[in-house]
Amino acid sequence: MTSEPGGASLPAGSRCESGFSATGTALLTDHYELTMLRAALHSGAAHRRSVFEVFARSLPSGRRYGVAAGQGRLLDALARFRFSDDELRFLTDTGVIDQVTLRYLESYSFGGDIWAYAEGDCYFPGSPILVVEGTFAEAVLLETLALSILNHDCAIASAASRMVTAADGRPLIEMGSRRTHERAAVASARAAYITGFGATSNLRAGCEYGLPTSGTSAHSFMLAHDDERHAFGAQLDALGTGTTLLVDTYDVARAVAAAVELAGPDLGAVRVDSGDLPVIAREVRVLLDSLGATRTRIVLTGDLDEYSIAALAATPADGYGVGTSLVTGSGAPTAALVYKLVARADDAPAGPLRPVAKRSVGKPGRGGRKWAARQLDAAGTAVAEVICDAPPEPGPAARVLLRQLVRGGEIVGREPLEAARARHRQSVAELPAHARRLSRGYAAIPTVFAPDAQENGVPPGRERADRESPGRDSPGRDGPA
């Protein structure tokens, strides 16, 4: 694969190279990819033109939509998907590859095409969120890398989007670095920012992706000083009155009074990390106002998720910090995406593609290269995810979803994170109102394979909606509406 024009320039706003810059990414894969490659090189299938698709058979239980994220990170990883001499020596010495496979990998560079849903867009069961076209050999090697990045980032973004909805305009800070793998923390911060989080505590994410960073102090800082007044004074001297002071180490009311006494009415914010948050938030607001600190904000943290954030809607909180729930996907740590061969040519490299699909019980496939559009009604509201076997015509009633990321091995689809962030706002706003409910339910819109709708003589989306969705809400845990 050739490098994009301009070489390895940093993303807009970035001051650091990505985590993939120090090493190659070719061994971020499963052994079985090379098992298949080795056998396919001997059978001749390695050079057959092939199409793989990434999709989810279903959404996590009760979720109404997923969020596409990680495509930008995948492009970073793809740009460095090369086998070094040391890696090839390891693969040869351990018997993973033979000499034929070694010669192939020595010059490996992805030379095909990749299409994808744009980052920040929503997806549904069956949505072809990534399409990889190339020879079987070059495309099959990308399976593990693509799935490890997309399964993680889509899961985090999907959970983060629900938290942004629950916050209803109040700012959110991502602060889950201490609850996950060090590189997953950086990826999580990026995914959360795409969906509307305002800042991250992770400095590496700030450096690599240009994300705003934010940080207050921990209880250890308070305990390291002789008393709260000394701790507050030190922080105010170092950072100014606009800082955020942690007020729940000992007694919240005394801490708030001391904070305002030392900082004055222009204290930036106070943070509460424990206790009965709805009650404490109201008490703190009353106390701050009585002390003249009417503009001092209240930030709530402490094992929050989308449900607890929604439950705090009536409190005078001004923002939230979310950690563990965010970086673990709020109960759905993977998007359960799969990477499947859906079409291939016969032996002629330029021959026509023919659909292929497995028929495993419980995991049937649907063969053929697919395209996707979101069907919209006259008001611009999404009514169906339409999957078809030819590029759809864009128009006021259909928004085309796949965009090209790689053409002939060259990366052509990079974009700034702000574009993905704006797209996510638009994509969620486009969905029907019930999509933004937190209670368990079905996918917000049905996925319709266009021939099905045409064969039944109904507009795409109507027949499937009636047949597959007896009700918009399913029984189970009821979160806030």
Side-chain angles (χ1 to χ4, degrees):
M1 188 189 71
T2 58
S3 61
E4 63 249 69
S9 57
L10 298 178
S14 173
R15 296 177 180 271
C16 305
E17 290 190 0
S18 77
F20 296 124
S21 62
T23 60
T25 57
L27 288 191
L28 295 176
T29 191
D30 286 326
H31 187 138
Y32 94 145
E33 313 294 5
L34 294 179
T35 299
M36 290 188 284
L37 172 64
R38 180 173 175 173
L41 286 168
H42 284 270
S43 73
H47 304 295
R48 285 177 170 170
R49 180 181 168 213
S50 301
V51 179
F52 287 82
E53 289 177 354
V54 172
F55 60 92
R57 292 190 175 93
S58 62
L59 298 176
S61 180
R63 298 280 178 90
R64 297 168 187 251
Y65 63 89
V67 179
Q71 292 88 328
R73 290 206 313 120
L74 180 59
L75 292 180
D76 291 341
L78 186 61
R80 295 176 173 84
F81 198 94
R82 305 284 192 281
F83 290 86
S84 70
D85 291 342
D86 287 342
E87 290 169 337
L88 291 172
R89 189 175 303 110
F90 159 74
L91 294 173
T92 304
D93 291 347
T94 55
V96 176
I97 61 175
D98 60 9
Q99 289 301 306
V100 173
T101 312
L102 171 64
R103 287 193 294 273
Y104 178 83
L105 295 179
E106 283 175 334
S107 59
Y108 177 86
S109 178
F110 181 75
D113 298 334
I114 297 179
W115 297 74
Y117 278 39
E119 285 199 279
D121 215 339
C122 297
Y123 71 85
F124 299 90
S127 297
I129 68 172
L130 189 81
V131 179
V132 179
E133 183 170 350
T135 66
F136 176 82
E138 63 184 348
V140 75
L141 288 181
L142 301 182
E143 176 183 5
T144 302
L145 183 69
L147 288 180
S148 63
I149 292 174
L150 296 179
N151 264 317
H152 175 270
D153 289 21
C154 290
I156 303 306
S158 299
S161 178
R162 288 161 56 86
M163 295 171 190
V164 170
T165 294
D168 195 24
R170 293 173 176 173
L172 289 160
I173 302 169
E174 182 282 315
M175 46 191 297
S177 296
R178 290 164 292 156
R179 299 294 184 266
T180 189
H181 184 277
E182 66 273 13
R183 289 306 309 176
V186 179
S188 296
R190 182 184 183 277
Y193 186 74
I194 287 172
T195 65
F197 271 61
T200 176
S201 65
N202 190 286
L203 293 175
R204 186 70 201 184
C207 189
E208 284 189 25
Y209 300 115
L211 308 187
T213 63
S214 178
T216 58
S217 61
H219 294 101
S220 61
F221 175 77
M222 312 302 296
L223 298 171
H225 291 79
D226 292 339
D227 56 41
E228 273 182 326
R229 294 181 64 87
H230 284 109
F232 289 163
Q235 188 171 334
L236 290 165
D237 288 344
L239 299 168
T241 58
T243 191
T244 298
L245 299 179
L246 180 63
V247 295
D248 70 335
T249 305
Y250 304 110
D251 180 86
V252 173
R254 282 203 299 268
V256 170
V260 175
E261 179 185 346
L262 292 170
D266 294 326
L267 173 63
V270 295
R271 178 166 77 97
V272 180
D273 187 57
S274 59
D276 189 338
L277 295 180
V279 172
I280 294 174
R282 293 186 182 93
E283 292 174 347
V284 168
R285 183 75 270 163
V286 170
L287 182 54
L288 287 170
D289 290 348
S290 71
L291 296 170
T294 56
R295 295 188 300 274
T296 299
R297 295 171 291 110
I298 300 173
V299 178
L300 302 180
T301 60
D303 292 325
L304 300 182
D305 62 11
E306 62 265 47
Y307 299 104
S308 54
I309 291 170
L312 292 166
T315 69
D318 297 287
Y320 310 101
V322 188
T324 303
S325 185
L326 186 281
V327 299
T328 57
S330 195
T334 176
L337 302 173
V338 294
Y339 185 100
K340 298 299 178 184
L341 180 68
V342 296
R344 69 164 178 86
D346 290 321
D347 291 334
L353 291 168
R354 62 183 182 88
V356 294
K358 70 177 186 178
R359 293 288 179 261
S360 303
V361 175
K363 293 184 177 181
R366 185 181 288 262
R369 164 64 153 103
K370 303 175 193 66
W371 302 82
R374 191 148 300 150
Q375 184 182 356
L376 309 173
D377 64 16
T381 301
V383 296
E385 190 88 337
V386 180
I387 313 300
C388 45
D389 58 7
E393 290 293 330
R399 181 166 68 82
V400 177
L401 297 169
L402 286 168
R403 59 193 294 266
Q404 193 157 20
L405 300 184
V406 178
R407 181 185 299 119
E410 180 180 0
I411 294 174
V412 297
R414 288 199 185 278
E415 65 175 6
L417 274 183
E418 292 301 331
R421 188 173 165 92
R423 180 182 299 110
H424 182 67
R425 289 194 297 269
Q426 296 162 2
S427 184
V428 172
E430 178 184 83
L431 298 179
H434 63 80
R436 292 179 286 280
R437 295 176 184 167
L438 299 183
S439 56
R440 293 169 62 89
Y442 295 98
I445 57 176
T447 301
V448 177
F449 289 85
D452 291 354
Q454 293 166 3
E455 289 166 7
N456 285 280
V458 297
R462 301 304 184 195
E463 189 267 343
R464 280 288 182 100
D466 293 341
R467 187 178 69 208
E468 295 183 358
S469 301
R472 286 300 181 187
D473 295 316
S474 64
R477 174 182 176 182
D478 287 326

